[in-house]
Amino acid sequence: KLFSRLWNKSPLPSSKMVVTLAALIYLRWADFHEAEQEAIAAFDDTDYRPVLPSSLHWRSWHLLPPDDLRTFFSDRLPQALDQLKNSRYILLATHLHRIAPAVTNLGRLSSRALDSLIHWLADQPFETPRDRRVLLDSFDAVLDKARDKHAGEYRTPVAVAQLLVELAAPSAGDRVYDPCFGSAGLLTTAFDYARGKATEQFSRNGSPALLISGVEINLEAYIIGLVRLTLAGVDDPQIELGNSLERMPSNTPQRDGFDVVLANPPWGMRVDPVGMDHFPVRTSDATGLFIQHALAQLRANGRAVIVVPQGVLFRGGPEQRLRRMLLEQHTVEALISLPQGVFLPYTGIQASVLVLRRSGPTKSIRMIDAEPFFEKGKGSKPATLTQSHVEELGREFRNSKPGKYSWDVDPDTLADVEWDFTPKRRDQSGL
């Protein structure tokens, strides 16, 4: 009810309000994190230099009178955050600098709205990882209610995220990367998966040692993704703001390569091929470039799991050359056909999941029809997938022999059909 009232009376559109709320949550998390670091330093008898002075911490200002808060957010705090732009080697400072535009929006709210928002957040338990996880669920609920078509570009449906992570199966110690992380749905799901599976190699706070990295070009999505990761328990996400496609392999978040790349690239986005000479197959289609980028980021034998629209699997031209290159130089492990309606209400375009490994050439490809595992949504609601069906699809992928809804295809068969990767049975006669 609080957010419904704020949405209706706010001078900001609902999508901006979500980002503004995310920035406020991050300010509270930064205060909590710095207090924790100060306590650790005191225990170890060492020095800790806070990123922000104590007067700019949540604990110092969240009880200010509403009118004073508006001035604080309009002027003083944004200026202080802007001055952190040169602290590029301190992750917390970098993240705080990047949320400055959203912090400025807090000063645009009415005194009453601002007071209500801060009191709501102050009332939320925050001390334990479980507390922050509950707050993440609340934030996601707000995110769902405020969603629009534009926001859908930066969000991967929960069912699809769970399937991609099940296929990738990251484990404790793995380095996981998303080159277009959006609201960090794939990264948070991967972190939760590894935390649930891990039995050793836990970090100090009980989370598995999973290194999370990503790049995002949209600032608002970056802020939302940052907050979701920190609330999920990732204290030091190695995330960056920028265009991952413009980055050479030597200028990436993890120079040693990643164990897992997860990606749901923006569909239908055209890219100017000028300056893209570092890709083996030059194309103006962003999906094709993200596939190549993902492979370039993998260490030897690393795996990439990527959502692709169907057109990438059968179109001629650059996409055809790319598919041939994937077969001849890498291992195309699987192609999983998703049913229509998975990405509703944003788009009805059908998609598939491409599973690659940086080792080759390909000897056999597991094709899977995932439609029987999904439950169709009503109206504009997306198709869903239960956890048991997610795990069953994982078994269809990993079993040595194909199951009821899967089959194996050799590369020569695909070469005969101009490297058409569409997951459909070619071993059965039309008769």
Side-chain angles (χ1 to χ4, degrees):
K1 292 181 180 180
L2 167 65
F3 291 104
S4 295
R5 293 197 303 268
L6 292 177
W7 271 209
N8 293 334
K9 297 181 179 180
S10 171
L12 305 172
S14 61
S15 59
K16 294 282 187 185
M17 278 296 296
V18 172
V19 179
T20 302
L21 173 61
L24 186 62
I25 293 173
Y26 193 74
L27 289 173
R28 183 173 182 189
W29 181 87
D31 177 31
F32 172 84
H33 178 72
E34 295 234 271
E36 190 177 55
Q37 296 303 308
E38 290 169 0
I40 293 171
F43 181 81
D44 295 338
D45 197 22
T46 58
D47 293 328
Y48 174 74
R49 185 178 179 181
V51 172
L52 290 174
S54 59
S55 62
L56 298 182
H57 283 151
W58 161 274
R59 72 196 94 156
S60 299
W61 53 255
H62 80 278
L63 293 177
L64 288 174
D67 290 339
D68 291 348
L69 278 172
R70 289 195 70 191
T71 303
F72 179 76
F73 286 122
S74 300
D75 183 29
R76 187 180 172 196
L77 184 57
Q79 284 188 14
L81 298 182
D82 188 59
Q83 292 174 4
L84 297 175
K85 61 185 175 184
N86 295 323
S87 307
R88 58 180 298 185
Y89 298 110
I90 304 174
L91 270 178
L92 178 59
T94 300
H95 297 327
L96 285 168
H97 167 65
R98 287 177 179 156
I99 70 169
V103 170
T104 304
N105 283 335
L106 286 164
R108 296 175 58 190
L109 299 178
S110 68
S111 298
R112 185 174 180 179
L114 186 57
D115 188 56
S116 298
L117 198 60
I118 290 177
H119 271 83
W120 173 84
L121 183 55
D123 288 339
Q124 307 306 308
F126 208 85
E127 295 301 312
T128 68
R130 182 180 180 84
D131 290 338
R132 296 188 290 279
R133 188 70 208 210
V134 171
L135 181 57
L136 173 58
D137 293 339
S138 298
F139 179 71
D140 282 347
V142 174
L143 195 58
D144 285 336
K145 289 183 179 179
R147 67 185 180 182
D148 52 31
K149 189 168 185 178
H150 174 72
E153 180 182 347
Y154 306 108
R155 302 193 69 190
T156 299
V158 173
V160 177
Q162 290 175 339
L163 176 58
L164 264 63
V165 170
E166 176 69 29
L167 297 171
S171 57
D174 276 355
R175 294 162 291 184
V176 181
Y177 171 63
D178 185 340
C180 43
F181 66 81
S183 59
L186 295 177
L187 293 177
T188 54
T189 303
F191 184 77
D192 289 343
Y193 178 95
R195 179 164 49 190
K197 297 286 185 181
T199 56
E200 56 184 358
Q201 292 185 335
F202 281 78
S203 67
R204 178 181 55 80
N205 65 353
S207 302
L210 195 67
L211 177 63
I212 296 293
S213 299
V215 180
E216 173 54 46
I217 196 171
N218 180 273
L219 177 59
E220 293 184 357
Y222 170 96
I223 294 172
I224 291 173
L226 168 65
V227 170
R228 295 191 71 257
L229 284 167
T230 52
L231 291 179
V234 186
D235 288 344
D236 58 345
Q238 308 289 307
I239 59 175
E240 300 179 18
L241 183 66
N243 185 353
S244 57
L245 296 180
E246 295 177 351
R247 299 174 180 232
M248 303 296 286
S250 61
N251 185 25
T252 58
Q254 177 56 254
R255 296 188 180 185
D256 296 331
F258 294 95
D259 301 284
V260 174
V261 175
L262 299 165
N264 178 14
W267 297 357
M269 189 176 85
R270 313 307 292 180
V271 177
D272 187 347
V274 175
M276 298 293 170
D277 297 337
H278 52 289
F279 289 103
V281 178
R282 293 183 66 185
T283 174
S284 60
D285 179 67
T287 302
L289 296 178
F290 273 110
I291 291 171
Q292 296 176 76
H293 174 77
L295 285 168
Q297 304 310 306
L298 290 173
R299 63 167 178 78
N301 210 39
R303 60 254 190 223
V305 186
I306 307 170
V307 179
V308 298
Q310 293 290 79
V312 174
L313 303 181
F314 61 79
R315 281 198 299 261
E319 280 78 15
Q320 186 186 75
R321 294 196 297 273
L322 173 60
R323 295 192 300 272
R324 181 174 181 177
M325 184 198 78
L326 294 178
L327 287 177
E328 295 176 351
Q329 299 182 24
H330 300 281
T331 300
V332 181
E333 290 194 325
L335 279 154
I336 299 96
S337 177
L338 301 176
Q340 287 186 325
V342 170
F343 291 91
L344 290 174
Y346 306 112
T347 178
I349 296 176
Q350 191 168 9
S352 291
V353 178
L354 180 62
V355 184
L356 305 170
R357 190 173 289 272
R358 190 171 182 178
S359 64
T362 302
K363 295 181 180 179
S364 179
I365 305 170
R366 175 64 51 87
M367 301 275 189
I368 304 174
D369 177 12
E371 184 169 1
F373 298 87
F374 278 80
E375 297 178 6
K376 292 183 178 180
K378 295 181 180 180
S380 61
K381 292 185 177 181
T384 58
L385 195 61
T386 65
Q387 183 58 38
S388 62
H389 284 154
V390 169
E391 294 170 359
E392 192 174 349
L393 278 166
R395 289 191 292 271
E396 289 268 352
F397 165 59
R398 295 186 183 90
N399 286 343
S400 58
K401 294 183 179 180
K404 183 178 180 180
Y405 301 105
S406 59
W407 61 100
D408 293 335
V409 178
D410 64 85
D412 291 338
T413 300
L414 298 183
D416 291 340
V417 291
E418 299 181 326
W419 298 279
D420 184 343
F421 278 12
T422 309
K424 59 184 178 184
R425 291 189 181 273
R426 296 178 175 86
D427 56 349
Q428 297 177 350
S429 167
L431 295 176

